[in-house]
Amino acid sequence: MIFFNPAGAPELACDACGCRWFDRMTGACYECGTPVSAESQAEYRRALEEFALRRSGGGEGDRGA
Ligand SMILES: [Zn+2]
């Protein structure tokens, strides 16, 4: 599952235990060792891209004043 931190950045969280610590080398949860599904990784990647677009002013509405 994917969480969004207070800064609006997506964080990948474990489906099994809900922790947000993933070992990017193995693609598994640090806490319980559950592997991250390719689906979740793709979803996280999309969320990251959207976040980057928003931050670079690509989004609508927020002009950053
Ligand atoms: Zn876990």
Side-chain angles (χ1 to χ4, degrees):
M1 69 185 90
I2 293 182
F3 283 109
F4 290 91
N5 70 20
E11 289 186 22
L12 191 56
C14 178
D15 284 333
C17 72
C19 88
R20 302 180 196 181
W21 295 97
F22 276 99
D23 185 340
R24 285 163 195 261
M25 295 301 285
T26 61
C29 174
Y30 271 123
E31 282 291 318
C32 67
T34 300
V36 189
S37 67
E39 199 176 304
S40 289
Q41 291 191 42
E43 194 182 336
Y44 176 61
R45 220 173 273 221
R46 270 201 306 277
L48 267 184
E49 281 171 14
E50 279 172 25
F51 176 65
L53 276 178
R54 278 203 304 277
R55 294 208 60 156
S56 64
E60 62 243 42
D62 189 86
R63 301 182 63 186

